[in-house]
Amino acid sequence: MLDPRFVRENPEQVAELLRKKKFDLNVEEIKSLESERKTVQASAQNLRAEKKQASKQVGQLIGQGLSVDEAKAQVAEQLSKIDSQLAEAEVREQAILSALDEIMLGLPNLPHESVADGDSEDDNVEVRTWGTPREFTFEPKDHVDLGEKLGLDFDAGAKLSGSRFVVMRNKIARLHRALAQFMLDVQTGEHGYEECYTPYLVHGHALRGTGQLPKFEADLFKTNAEEQEQPHYLIPTSEVTLTNLVADSILEADQLPIKLTGHTPCFRSEAGSYGRDTRGMIRQHQFDKVEMVRIVHPEQSFEALEEMTGNAEAVLQKLDLPYRVVALCGGDLGFGATKTYDLEVWLPGQQKFREISSVSNCLDFQARRMQARFRNPETGKPELVHTLNGSGLAVGRAMVAVMENYQDEQGRIHVPEALKPYMGGIEIIE
């Protein structure tokens, strides 16, 4: 979350910055709550001072000749009244703080000054391109038509689980597995990430830590709360589990940066994307992803953002898949991100670039929620770390890109050179 004190003291400035994200901050509500908080807090402080002063009167009355019991009895009524007023003030102060906390949990991260204005993905800024889309001597098919005879079975997925699920068989399933293993090897062997295996089910506090709760609960799959003390949620991304490994921690400065990666399925109800990308594997309820997470010193997070984007690009370059990098505009920027680069791979079947990775710098937004800190060696005091996350890459979308870019006129898929060591000698999927 944002620094609550900064928001309370500078609501107009925060509101102006959040307009770039198309978020309307209720400034008057914050100012009203903050004004009342200060009034109640001052009242509570005055009452505590009165109580302290009243307690001293016992000794003064004894000094004036009253017995201990007489002195206490004389002051007791005054203390009881003060205690009652103080309890009311403390209850109200806590209610105001709770209301402010709820507002803070719903506020997105502030966009970086370099983020362009814009309303949607149409206003994102192209940063660079790599590779040249292949010129086909035939009309290329999309992955759905290609996969129909190769083991990509959407009917079986729907039979088992409903729409937006898929069953993979035979060499297509092998290709999907090969891509995940290849991506993990690139990130661990060449870029220095530590491979992790983490749970697929988490408690709500982990999702609050990375910003999925409370705002995006409708997009999550949740277990039956009545059967458990607290429900579990299926992870929407292993960003949740990898980042939360440093929650409630004070790291030493020499432990930074921490670079983590993991391959997991991801589960999303896609409640906010009704009707979008219903064909094929672009937007599924269950999909696989190799995630990258970094925990870094605050002074190094923007340098890390550029490096992580390059780490994701390396996978596409090794697969020889044309792509472009775009910087997201304010209106397309995610809830927890201050700046994001999207990698968009070329899909011949759609004749367009489609997102295959997002790499985001969250600054201390998640760290403040998680209380993830490091000890500054110069001051000896704990400070919030910065967190970053990115796809390295989305496995299903990478498979779509391989299928469409490496197809031939017979509907066969030629395995990219980089994947051949992972395919057990298979060079053509037919």
Side-chain angles (χ1 to χ4, degrees):
M1 67 172 70
L2 300 176
D3 183 347
R5 182 174 179 178
F6 179 79
V7 176
R8 295 198 309 265
E9 294 178 355
N10 306 278
E12 290 92 349
Q13 181 182 348
V14 172
E16 181 61 31
L17 291 169
L18 288 179
R19 286 192 187 99
K20 186 180 278 189
K21 274 194 168 183
K22 310 307 171 187
F23 185 91
D24 186 17
L25 177 64
N26 190 334
V27 173
E28 292 308 314
E29 181 183 21
I30 291 177
K31 290 171 74 171
S32 176
L33 286 168
E34 176 63 2
S35 175
E36 186 180 2
R37 184 192 68 82
K38 288 180 178 179
T39 300
V40 173
Q41 186 180 60
S43 175
Q45 289 173 343
N46 290 336
L47 287 167
R48 292 187 188 100
E50 286 182 35
K51 183 177 180 179
K52 187 175 182 181
Q53 187 63 37
S55 298
K56 292 180 180 178
Q57 291 178 11
V58 174
Q60 294 170 356
L61 291 171
I62 292 173
Q64 294 173 9
L66 294 180
S67 68
V68 173
D69 290 341
E70 290 173 330
K72 286 183 177 180
Q74 190 167 326
V75 175
E77 184 176 351
Q78 183 182 359
L79 285 173
S80 177
K81 184 179 180 180
I82 293 173
D83 283 340
S84 178
Q85 292 174 332
L86 182 59
E88 290 180 8
E90 289 174 342
V91 168
R92 182 56 191 156
E93 183 179 12
Q94 187 56 51
I96 295 168
L97 289 172
S98 296
L100 285 167
D101 284 344
E102 187 174 348
I103 292 172
M104 298 302 161
L105 283 172
L107 297 185
N109 203 354
L110 301 178
H112 188 256
E113 59 184 11
S114 65
V115 172
D117 287 321
D119 296 327
S120 68
E121 61 185 24
D122 296 331
D123 302 310
N124 293 338
V125 180
E126 184 175 282
V127 177
R128 57 183 172 271
T129 63
W130 187 93
T132 303
R134 172 185 166 192
E135 293 187 9
F136 290 85
T137 58
F138 57 93
E139 184 175 349
K141 297 178 181 179
D142 74 359
H143 69 285
V144 178
D145 292 334
L146 285 167
E148 186 177 0
K149 297 180 180 179
L150 300 178
L152 200 59
D153 196 336
F154 294 99
D155 290 337
K159 178 181 177 180
L160 294 171
S161 306
S163 63
R164 297 197 180 190
F165 289 92
V166 67
V167 170
M168 302 178 211
R169 293 173 171 159
N170 206 347
K171 296 175 184 177
I172 283 291
R174 179 69 180 261
L175 177 63
H176 187 267
R177 174 161 58 94
L179 278 162
Q181 297 301 309
F182 165 67
M183 293 172 189
L184 280 175
D185 285 351
V186 170
Q187 302 307 348
T188 57
E190 299 184 21
H191 301 146
Y193 290 83
E194 177 187 355
E195 183 176 351
C196 301
Y197 176 83
T198 61
Y200 302 163
L201 288 162
V202 293
H203 286 145
H205 64 80
L207 291 152
R208 278 188 289 274
T210 46
Q212 283 80 15
L213 285 178
K215 184 174 177 60
F216 300 106
E217 181 155 13
D219 284 320
L220 301 170
F221 288 104
K222 180 180 179 181
T223 59
N224 191 338
E226 295 179 0
E227 297 176 1
Q228 300 173 303
E229 285 188 22
Q230 54 179 320
H232 285 93
Y233 295 82
L234 286 164
I235 58 170
T237 164
S238 56
E239 167 201 340
V240 175
T241 48
L242 293 173
T243 309
N244 271 279
L245 289 176
V246 297
D248 299 313
S249 300
I250 299 178
L251 305 165
E252 297 303 322
D254 60 8
Q255 291 179 262
L256 302 176
I258 295 173
K259 301 165 65 175
L260 307 172
T261 189
H263 165 221
T264 66
C266 307
F267 305 90
R268 300 182 187 179
S269 74
E270 299 288 357
S273 61
Y274 182 78
R276 291 182 61 195
D277 296 320
T278 56
R279 177 176 169 83
M281 293 187 63
I282 296 299
R283 198 175 295 275
Q284 296 267 286
H285 291 311
Q286 175 184 318
F287 61 95
D288 282 45
K289 186 152 62 81
V290 171
E291 185 73 1
M292 305 177 295
V293 161
R294 289 204 196 187
I295 316 296
V296 303
H297 190 285
E299 295 177 359
Q300 298 171 350
S301 62
F302 281 101
E303 178 184 350
L305 176 64
E306 301 297 329
E307 287 182 3
M308 289 179 69
T309 304
N311 297 159
E313 287 182 78
V315 175
L316 291 174
Q317 291 176 11
K318 290 175 183 295
L319 294 172
D320 199 18
L321 293 171
Y323 67 90
R324 68 174 184 167
V325 179
V326 297
L328 299 197
C329 70
D332 199 31
L333 202 58
F335 180 76
T338 189
K339 185 172 183 177
T340 296
Y341 291 116
D342 270 8
L343 273 61
E344 298 180 348
V345 67
W346 177 253
L347 297 183
Q350 297 187 24
Q351 288 293 296
K352 61 166 52 174
F353 288 100
R354 296 302 303 262
E355 178 205 335
I356 195 169
S357 172
S358 282
V359 186
S360 299
N361 185 359
C362 298
L363 299 180
D364 59 8
F365 185 82
Q366 294 177 327
R368 182 172 284 104
R369 287 169 170 252
M370 298 186 302
Q371 282 302 289
R373 295 165 290 172
F374 76 104
R375 195 174 304 281
N376 188 325
E378 296 180 3
T379 63
K381 296 180 179 179
E383 296 181 16
L384 294 169
V385 297
H386 281 191
T387 64
L388 302 95
N389 62 80
S391 310
L393 306 162
V395 181
R397 292 192 181 192
M399 189 177 77
V400 168
V402 168
M403 290 175 67
E404 294 192 10
N405 281 277
Y406 282 87
Q407 64 179 290
D408 63 22
E409 195 167 4
Q410 287 76 45
R412 305 179 303 173
I413 311 300
H414 294 256
V415 176
E417 286 295 325
L419 293 181
K420 288 180 179 178
Y422 298 85
M423 288 295 290
I426 299 170
E427 297 192 1
I428 296 179
I429 298 173
E430 56 184 330

